[in-house]
Amino acid sequence: MPDKTTSWTERREAAIPRGVGSTSPYFMARAEGALITDVDGREFIDFAGGIGVLNVGHRHPKVVEAVKTQADQFLHSCFHVMMYGPYVELAEKLNRMAPCRGPKKTMFANSGAEAVENAVKIARYHTGREGIIAFRNAFHGRTCLTMALTSKVKPYKYNLGALSVPGIFRAAYPYCYRCPWGKTHTSCGLHCAEPYFEQDFFKHYVDPSEVAAVIIEPVQGEGGFIVPPPEYLPALRRICDDHGILLIVDEVQSGFGRTGKLFASDHFGLEADLMTCAKSLAGGMPLSAVTGTAEIMDAVHPGGLGGTYGGNPLSCSAALAVIEVMKEEGLVGKGAALGARVRAELEKMAEEFPIIGQVRGLGPMLALELVRDRRTKEPAPELTKALVKHCQSAGLIILDCGTLGNNVRLLMPLSITEEQLSKGLDILREGFRRVAA
């Protein structure tokens, strides 16, 4: 008799199109905290967190209880048909928490991509302009508009219609490890900010008077957890202000304690005009938000924003529980300590294994860039895939990322235990020994 994994795999292949990719060959049976058990009883330590969705961990009891309590009352009405309290209460909380300018308002959708689409719609409506500037290595989603904003071609954009979306312009992101101008951060004079935009980009690609918004991840996610120099985002804020351009900050992956602060923007003292969040907002339930300056958010006419499931009552209730858990358990502070602990271990691995070109990230949002040669920085995507595969087979779930496919990202729940963390890091270290041999 075949094992359950084999049976489920055969059923998956018969029922689901090949375009729906999966990064591991396993099927979950249950999960709790930072541990996953598959259908055949194998146990895995989760360093992926559902791609940054589970900062409070799998099935946090308070989140589960909030969903159950809400389910006993009602599942759906559509907020546009009959309103309900959790939507309003959660908007009030995000308005107090989000690092945006002035009085704020919030709307809800289902996914990060939907939040980005709505933020772009609001920015275009408010400014009367069409242009949107996104960045190299960015990831903002897979819908037609967000696919055009996303940078990586394969697998996200190839032959899927992204070329047909007008008004999108691509700027260089401050990726200091692979600086597009061949400069170093200590001597470049922050060339990627005012000099680049004012002397190059606005002259050769789009006039700033035609730009509605710049959208940026304060720490790039799928792009490889690339962190800009500390002076960069305040400089970008000034550039936007000088030209009447709105700044959309995409905190979908970097928000809710992922970087050792509540939002990555807080590391830079950055205030957005519009901010998107999703992923860990609702602890595993589908929910996203656009929060922004009230005047900008109110620009759109009634009925111009929304959707049937946006701000689903179960998801809003889960998010309210997530916010409560993060406060009660001090998860932002725990995340900062976790990040320092993990980074120290990764730096030791980098000393031992020359294929680690760089350790980078903020707080516990950390990545390793793998190279064949540190001098040339030649990417090593095949070693990255081998490392991911080995770790999975040894009971550790990790993810690769990056436009060049040579980064490993770590997104373990902030509630992970010391025993689980140590075991996971040991598996990762042994993985490097295997692939670097």
Side-chain angles (χ1 to χ4, degrees):
M1 183 176 179
D3 60 24
K4 293 178 181 178
T5 299
T6 299
S7 176
W8 276 111
T9 300
E10 291 171 352
R11 293 172 63 179
R12 179 207 194 282
E13 290 176 354
I16 298 172
R18 66 191 183 106
V20 181
S22 299
T23 62
S24 81
Y26 308 107
F27 286 82
M28 293 177 68
R30 58 188 180 274
E32 188 168 356
L35 290 179
I36 300 171
T37 304
D38 86 341
V39 292
D40 287 306
R42 288 174 291 236
E43 193 171 78
F44 300 86
I45 298 167
D46 187 4
F47 274 22
I51 316 184
V53 169
L54 297 161
N55 287 353
V56 299
H58 291 271
R59 295 182 62 250
H60 192 287
K62 287 203 169 183
V63 176
V64 172
E65 183 59 34
V67 172
K68 287 180 177 179
T69 299
Q70 179 58 54
D72 284 339
Q73 297 169 0
F74 56 89
L75 297 177
H76 177 72
S77 73
C78 180
F79 191 74
H80 310 302
V81 175
M82 183 168 284
M83 300 174 286
Y84 40 87
Y87 190 115
V88 177
E89 186 179 355
L90 182 58
E92 291 172 339
K93 287 185 180 293
L94 286 180
N95 292 340
R96 291 193 291 268
M97 295 162 63
C100 299
R101 286 179 162 177
K104 308 169 191 72
K105 291 191 175 183
T106 293
M107 64 156 288
F108 296 108
N110 301 290
S111 68
E114 278 190 76
V116 169
E117 292 239 0
N118 278 283
V120 169
K121 285 163 56 178
I122 294 165
R124 284 175 164 170
Y125 199 116
H126 177 75
T127 62
R129 304 174 182 180
E130 290 295 316
I132 304 292
I133 296 174
F135 288 85
R136 195 175 301 166
N137 303 307
F139 184 90
H140 296 292
R142 303 191 194 207
T143 60
C144 282
L145 174 61
T146 59
M147 185 168 52
L149 295 170
T150 290
S151 177
K152 189 175 181 179
V153 175
K154 289 185 177 180
Y156 304 121
K157 300 169 65 168
Y158 175 70
N159 209 27
L160 291 169
L163 298 179
S164 64
V165 179
I168 307 297
F169 301 90
R170 180 86 50 208
Y173 192 89
Y175 187 179
C176 295
Y177 185 69
R178 297 184 183 276
C179 177
W181 300 280
K183 299 176 181 289
T184 61
H185 173 229
T186 54
S187 61
C188 74
L190 207 63
H191 179 84
C192 51
E194 279 98 345
Y196 168 57
F197 277 98
E198 303 295 352
Q199 299 169 23
D200 182 357
F201 193 85
F202 289 149
K203 295 184 183 299
H204 294 98
Y205 298 99
V206 61
D207 189 88
S209 66
E210 298 180 281
V211 178
V214 170
I215 182 166
I216 191 167
E217 300 160 273
V219 178
Q220 288 192 322
E222 171 64 22
F225 287 18
I226 304 167
V227 184
E231 313 93 338
Y232 179 79
L233 289 170
L236 185 64
R237 174 76 272 183
R238 291 194 301 271
I239 293 167
C240 289
D241 289 343
D242 288 346
H243 296 287
I245 297 169
L246 299 187
L247 181 61
I248 302 172
V249 178
D250 184 340
E251 292 262 15
V252 166
Q253 188 165 169
S254 58
F256 285 86
R258 189 67 253 169
T259 64
K261 291 186 180 290
L262 188 58
F263 295 102
S265 299
D266 296 331
H267 288 275
F268 306 98
L270 179 67
E271 288 188 318
D273 296 301
L274 298 165
M275 187 189 82
T276 62
C277 61
K279 288 193 181 286
S280 278
L281 168 61
M285 297 293 289
L287 184 69
S288 64
V290 183
T291 302
T293 303
E295 178 186 1
I296 298 170
M297 294 292 290
D298 276 337
V300 180
H301 59 270
L305 302 174
T308 302
Y309 293 106
N312 174 275
L314 275 74
S315 297
C316 287
S317 296
L320 289 167
V322 165
I323 292 170
E324 184 179 341
V325 166
M326 293 193 72
K327 182 178 180 180
E328 288 181 353
E329 298 184 8
L331 286 185
V332 174
K334 287 183 179 179
L338 175 65
R341 162 91 162 83
V342 175
R343 189 176 195 114
E345 292 298 321
L346 297 182
E347 295 288 2
K348 291 178 184 176
M349 292 184 205
E351 293 176 4
E352 184 177 355
F353 305 110
I355 63 171
I356 299 176
Q358 187 182 46
V359 177
R360 60 169 172 264
L362 284 178
M365 187 175 180
L366 292 164
L368 300 158
E369 179 156 352
L370 274 58
V371 296
R372 291 190 182 91
D373 185 306
R374 282 185 178 171
R375 182 181 57 82
T376 65
K377 301 179 183 178
E378 181 184 358
E382 75 291 344
L383 295 179
T384 306
K385 292 187 182 304
L387 178 68
V388 170
K389 185 176 181 179
H390 168 83
C391 288
Q392 289 176 352
S393 67
L396 176 68
I397 302 297
I398 59 172
L399 300 169
D400 63 4
C401 65
T403 304
L404 302 174
N406 67 320
N407 295 272
V408 173
R409 55 178 158 175
L410 306 183
L411 289 161
M412 67 282 290
L414 306 181
S415 56
I416 191 170
T417 68
E418 175 60 30
E419 181 183 0
Q420 294 161 355
L421 180 65
S422 295
K423 184 177 178 181
L425 291 171
D426 286 344
I427 294 171
L428 182 62
R429 184 177 287 104
E430 179 59 27
F432 274 112
R433 290 195 184 102
R434 295 288 186 93
V435 303

